[in-house]
Amino acid sequence: MAPRATKGKTKKPPSGRRVSGSGKTPVRGKAGIAGKGAVATAGELGSLRADIDAVDEQLHALLNERARLAQRAGISKHQDGHTVDFYRPEREAQVLRRALERNPGPLRNEEVVRLFREIMSACLAQEEPLKVAFLGPEGTFTQQAVFRHFGHSVRALALPTVDEVFQEVEAGNADFGIVAIENSSEGTITNTLDRFLISPLHICGEVELRIHHCLMGKMDALARVQRVCSHSQALAQCRGWLDEHLPEAERVPVASNAEGARRARDEQGTAAIAGETAAEVYGLGILVPEIEDRADNATRFLVLGRKLLRPSGADRTTLLLSIGDTRSPGALHRLLEPLARYGISMSRIESRPSRRRKWDYVFFIDIEGHAEDAGVRKALAALKKRASLFRVLGSYPRAVL
């Protein structure tokens, strides 16, 4: 007769290592884990757990002390202020970089960054959480970017369009916004760029997110998929897979991946391409995981805000430029020559219609460094003299991991 299952979940050993069949676990001494064959007796395991409890108490006390210091450093001294007035992305980036520099393991760098991000998020939200707008509905990759950059102690505001994300931040109804700007496989998301032509907002940060696309739906086989709904970027990033496995299925672009998942929930024969989170939110089964055509598929997001930032020590600057006649020979070379003269690296350039007249263009340019850095400042001063349109969209910390 099989033994009766006990109620509740089995607890993992504190070290995260699998417990052997004897119920013993490796012993950690002053110099680390004892030899491969060393295991803890029942008495030693109890002692290890007591040590863990003691460390937890210290961590708890230190976390509360950090929260008190955060209050003294900002919000509690300014009763008329708001959380956004004391949030400093450049300072946060410095804290995360220092955490990585001193990390000896065994925690991975990604976990260390995530933990410190959540600690800072919780400390900042003591008075009121930051309000961050993103392209909704719930379950989009942009929502994942919100939590990756700001932590979970924020109020995430799902909006139906990128234009409304800009508008809510411009109006002050949201403290920040996050919008996708480019994908490593499919390139620039042009409607985001075009919105900067008429928006006063600045770029306050960037987020890089590894993108895994899943095919999801309520059907139990690929043969039952009649149409696939997703954002046009997601459809493009999975074009090869769809051509091979669902060549007859209709491809329907929608406003967001989450909107595609919602349609897959409500429509017979409809599947969606989205992230795992969307499958959980909309109650869908994952038919095939990781269907993106490129294994290194990633999307870069920009953080929108109303203020320019001070240097963090590892920054990027985004410029919006144009010249009087973009069709004249050598015009772009003459405009950008100061970057080479002052040794400034340009990492990205995009052209978009200026909307002033036909076949006239503006240029979005990313350069390394902060606008207040000595060399960058000189280059920008020379650029400004040559440009008919010159605007620093933002100098902001480069993404930490």
Side-chain angles (χ1 to χ4, degrees), residues 80-346:
D80 296 331
H82 298 282
T83 302
V84 67
D85 299 324
F86 314 107
Y87 173 63
R88 293 289 179 265
E90 65 273 30
R91 160 70 178 162
E92 199 166 90
Q94 292 168 348
V95 170
L96 293 176
R97 291 182 198 132
R98 281 199 292 269
L100 290 177
E101 289 170 2
R102 64 172 179 259
N103 181 36
L107 286 178
R108 295 180 298 113
N109 283 344
E110 291 81 0
E111 292 302 319
V112 169
V113 167
R114 183 177 64 82
L115 289 170
F116 271 88
R117 180 81 74 189
E118 293 296 343
I119 290 169
M120 289 187 287
S121 180
C123 289
L124 187 67
Q126 292 176 87
E127 297 298 323
E128 61 173 335
L130 289 173
K131 297 183 289 294
V132 184
F134 70 96
L135 176 63
E138 185 181 2
T140 61
F141 286 114
T142 313
Q143 185 185 35
Q144 292 183 34
V146 169
F147 295 137
R148 183 181 178 93
H149 188 79
F150 289 98
H152 284 71
S153 296
V154 297
R155 183 183 171 197
L157 308 174
L159 297 171
T161 66
V162 168
D163 281 352
E164 289 182 66
V165 173
F166 275 84
Q167 291 164 8
E168 289 298 286
V169 180
E170 290 168 8
N173 298 324
D175 299 317
F176 295 96
I178 287 194
V179 291
I181 187 64
E182 62 176 329
N183 176 263
S184 60
S185 302
E186 291 298 314
T188 300
I189 300 167
T190 55
N191 64 320
T192 299
L193 279 185
D194 291 343
R195 197 62 179 73
F196 280 110
L197 292 173
I198 57 174
S199 175
L201 295 181
H202 297 289
I203 302 170
C204 299
E206 64 176 9
V207 187
E208 291 183 12
L209 195 65
R210 179 70 176 83
I211 302 298
H212 290 298
H213 289 301
C214 302
L215 184 73
M216 58 190 66
K218 289 201 163 184
M219 62 284 295
D220 56 6
L222 289 183
R224 298 182 182 276
V225 176
Q226 300 172 18
R227 69 194 66 83
V228 179
C229 291
S230 193
H231 190 278
S232 57
Q233 278 274 333
L235 291 171
Q237 291 162 31
C238 303
R239 184 185 299 113
W241 189 94
L242 291 170
D243 287 345
E244 180 178 355
H245 298 279
L246 291 172
E248 303 300 323
E250 180 186 6
R251 300 174 196 181
V252 182
V254 292
S256 69
N257 293 344
E259 175 60 25
R262 187 158 60 186
R263 286 189 58 171
R265 178 194 64 188
D266 298 337
E267 298 176 4
Q268 187 174 3
T270 296
I273 295 175
E276 289 185 2
T277 301
E280 297 172 6
V281 170
Y282 296 100
L284 301 174
I286 293 179
L287 302 173
V288 187
E290 299 185 16
I291 65 170
E292 62 274 7
D293 293 335
R294 293 186 57 86
D296 60 353
N297 189 39
T299 295
R300 179 175 172 235
F301 299 83
L302 297 179
V303 181
L304 307 174
R306 295 184 291 274
K307 295 180 180 179
L308 291 170
L309 307 181
R310 300 298 303 276
S312 75
D315 300 295
R316 178 172 285 123
T317 295
T318 299
L319 307 172
L320 172 58
L321 303 173
S322 191
I323 46 180
D325 184 2
T326 58
R327 293 174 295 180
S328 63
L332 186 58
H333 170 76
R334 291 192 300 273
L335 175 65
L336 300 182
E337 183 275 333
L339 297 179
R341 190 196 324 162
Y342 290 100
I344 307 303
S345 176
M346 182 176 67

